[in-house]
Amino acid sequence: PLAGEGQVHEGKTIVTARLIADTIRVQPGKPFTAGVHLDVAPGWHVYWENPGDTALPIQVQWDLPPETRVSSLRWPRPETYQESGGSVTVFGYERETVLLAAVTPPRSMNDSALDLKAKASWLVCEKICIPGEASLALSLPVGPSAASGDANVIRRFEAMVPTSGDAAGVRIVSAHAKRSNDQWRFTIVLDAGARAIARFHPRAIPGFAIEHGGIAVEGSRVRFTALADEPGARPVRVSGVVVTNRGSFDVTAKVAEGEPKSSPAATSAERSPPAAPAQTATAPAHSSPASALPPPVQKQSDDWLDRILPGSESSQPLSLPWLLLLSAIGGLLLNIMPCVLPVISLKVLSFVHQAGHGSQQTRLFGLAFAAGVLGSFWILAAVVAIVRATAEQIGWGFQFQSPYFVVAMSVVVVFFAMNLFGVFEISGPTLTRPAASSGRASGAFLHGMLATVLATPCSAPFLGTAIGFAFTQPLPFLFLAFTAVAAGLALPYVVLSWNPGWLRWVPRPGMWMVRFKQAMGFVLLGTAVWLLSILGSQLGPEGVVWSLVFLTIVAFAVWVFAESRAATRIATRVLWRTGAIALVAGGYFWTLESELRWREPAVAIAEAEAGGGIDWQPFSLAGLRSRVERGETVFIDFTADWCWSCKVNERTVLSTSRVESAIRELNVTAVKADWTNRNPEITRLLSKFGRVGVPFYVVFPAGRLTEPIALSEIITPASVVDALERAGPSREEANR
């Protein structure tokens, strides 16, 4: 029996079904993600698209308004369970799952809302199995899109959908089946790179009954048997989900009859690192989100990337002197990029402090600031080298793609703001109560480090070319290039500190310095707001709210820690400081771990954006190739929410009537390559132009996929329109 949307057994609800979406409002023609959410009681489980030896999969039948399109279901990776005392192996989900689909409303909507309906049916089992069903409905009003309260749930399960194996680096090298009467012995050889294969979940093979309990993973090989339903039946194709220690992947291949033959590809695959123990059919604990996957990557041959004309690339070889010169100039120009505006307060404040000290101490502060900049760049270079050694692709400002880093930087910025407000002074590694003198070399060093980290999200002229080339070079070249960038960034402040006479325009020290310092604290709080806006794109609105709560707790704990200096008894001082540390730890686990569950990676939902008069389309390599080959001229804006230069260009150039008119008149397709979160396809295309950071802009002329027109990081309406006119309009038949 059913009670509303809940399936009840013996007075207890064992399954609750809901229809959810990642938005609270819809726009005509703009896709969004919907899902059927099943909340399952402890001890019970429902079934994957291939349920295993027995049982029934979850089924969803949509009832949508006319001209509304819905994609096929996307299934999260399943777990393996034993039933009937270990004699039956099944695949499914416990606790909860969401089956996802992309829904595209009609381009023309007369109604004030989009009414979604779906009938979901399932089989839920514990010691007994009970079928269930529910008729679900969801009404979404028409209006500006905004994330719903279920957006984080959808992102969490989106991250568990297996990525396409070929594009993600996991593939089937060979699939063979050897016949013995009506029984077939399958052997699949996989190439998983450096990943260790843990499990293989096959999809159903038409005409065959797979013995799921006998699936064995042996290094890079997967073996299982299947019985033919009819004599003479032959398997044609095999597909399934490969679960590794670094995500899960969707693979498929044709089946050849006989034993697998040794080949270079198969031999290479079998030399991969030892895999996890052979798959066993035991009921697992609830899967950890730590192994969640990056966004799905579309499968399509992208060999055209290798044919991009050299004249369109910026990755031409550079001599070492030229590399260092471009890096130093790029670092110098970082000082005038919009990205650096949030830390101007720290630099101006350093000048104010220097004006009140002797020349020797002023020079010491300048060198300490430079040391902080240099040390930060060396750390960044080391991180790049380490990540690059794992064969991962990263780019300039990559650290801002991690919500962990953004939250950590928010804490640091609030920490420095409280320092400027006078809550404490930085003295070496300790915090003290406000003192008469606040100028210390250690403070200058920390200012240099913070300035560097907050200045690196965006690229600058010359810097993109130099760093893009350095990323492809041996380690010594990389460190030398980063050192040159650091020297360029710190140069103005070192020069000023060694020429204190140039600071005569600064008034004499007095109470105004205290007021000025406090005012600069509010500028740093503005930086914290900017960082939280990045979190909004990565973790959703809840990420901003709970991060604010955590920052408030951190600020209070810092105040408690600093005030402990006033305690006369050591025991009291220790108690206060222990309480401050406990506040931070407790606040972290409460806000970020318990409420936000921020270690469950949020995957950006690719949506077409509207606004500013330009109909922005989402980016993918497959989509780009398809558009250009069918005759569309495509303009790509490589951007990120953590890049201030990107936002300035969008507001002052791309949103101007001149650019909007050119895009409209030439019938150009505008594509936004949003790099706020990691996206290997965006990283790969950037690297083809010798770029490792944003902003970056490129135009692909209609039908000329390998002849793109690249623009500089600094654009004007005239330069964008000129590139669009050189590329030419889209062909008329492209949009028919």
Side-chain angles (χ1 to χ4, degrees), residues 5 15-20 35-40 95-99 122 136 150 153-154 156-157:
E5 296 178 344
V15 178
T16 301
R18 294 189 302 138
L19 187 58
I20 62 176
V36 174
H37 179 274
L38 298 182
D39 192 352
V40 184
R95 295 179 60 177
E96 66 173 334
T97 191
V98 179
L99 304 189
W122 59 85
L136 310 175
D150 291 312
V153 176
I154 287 179
R156 176 156 53 91
F157 282 93

Side-chain angles (χ1 to χ4, degrees), residues 81 100 157 233 280 300 313 387 401 447 470 492 592 594 718 729:
Y81 302 94
L100 303 162
F157 282 93
T280 56
Q300 185 171 354
E313 299 184 21
V387 175
Q401 295 174 333
H447 286 176
L592 302 183
S594 176

Side-chain angles (χ1 to χ4, degrees), residues 171 173 189-194 220 262-273:
R171 65 190 182 93
V173 176
V189 179
L190 295 161
D191 181 4
S220 64
S262 178
S263 67
T267 303
S268 173
E270 294 188 65
R271 283 200 298 264
S272 60

Side-chain angles (χ1 to χ4, degrees), residues 97 104 111 138 220 249 268 306 377 447 511 518 596 634 645 663 670 687 695 712 717 725 729:
T97 191
T104 304
D111 297 330
L138 180 65
S220 64
F249 305 88
S268 173
D306 299 325
F377 270 96
H447 286 176
M511 280 300 298
Q518 293 171 344
L596 183 58
V634 178
S645 295
I663 289 176
S687 69
S712 171
E725 291 177 344

Side-chain angles (χ1 to χ4, degrees), residues 622-667:
L624 170 62
R625 178 177 186 174
S626 176
R627 291 178 185 279
V628 175
E629 287 183 340
R630 71 170 176 248
E632 296 181 31
T633 295
V634 178
F635 171 77
I636 304 180
D637 171 18
F638 292 88
T639 184
D641 285 348
W642 37 261
C643 172
W644 276 37
S645 295
C646 304
K647 298 305 177 186
V648 170
N649 285 344
E650 289 169 8
R651 285 169 173 76
T652 62
V653 178
L654 300 183
S655 63
T656 60
S657 58
R658 184 177 180 184
V659 172
E660 291 175 359
S661 297
I663 289 176
R664 185 168 53 254
E665 292 169 4
L666 296 171
N667 201 17

